[in-house]
Amino acid sequence: STPTCLKSVTERECIRLACTLARPLRPIDLENHLCINHRTAVRTLHSLCAKGWFTPVTGPEGKHIVRYELQRSAVTQGL
């Protein structure tokens, strides 16, 4: 399945940051890079997960999502 079109500048910048860091993205990375609050960062990452751009990665206990992995297939098809 192909990822959905990106509408906001925040979403586009989130994907650019994930490509630049070359590691799973944390909400704090997005907060610091875009100077946005934690809730907005998490909401943006959740939106990108729903669109197929990212996959959530849980912590060691499996309770909370702590990182978001950019999907290679989404990048090659969507950009």
Side-chain angles (χ1 to χ4, degrees):
S1 65
T2 59
T4 309
C5 213
L6 297 174
K7 293 182 180 176
S8 78
V9 175
T10 305
E11 289 177 340
R12 291 180 192 179
E13 193 58 32
C14 182
I15 291 172
R16 283 190 195 108
L17 179 62
C19 291
T20 304
L21 291 176
R23 63 171 169 81
L25 195 61
R26 301 171 302 163
I28 190 78
D29 299 326
L30 196 55
E31 292 169 36
N32 293 336
H33 183 70
L34 298 176
C35 298
I36 57 177
N37 67 29
H38 181 76
R39 190 69 231 146
T40 304
V42 171
R43 191 176 300 122
T44 301
L45 289 164
H46 277 245
S47 170
L48 288 168
C49 285
K51 293 178 181 182
W53 287 91
F54 284 88
T55 301
V57 178
T58 58
E61 295 179 15
K63 285 185 179 180
H64 304 286
I65 298 170
V66 293
R67 291 185 295 293
Y68 296 83
E69 253 180 21
L70 183 63
Q71 295 300 302
R72 285 188 193 272
S73 60
V75 172
T76 56
Q77 293 174 3
L79 294 180

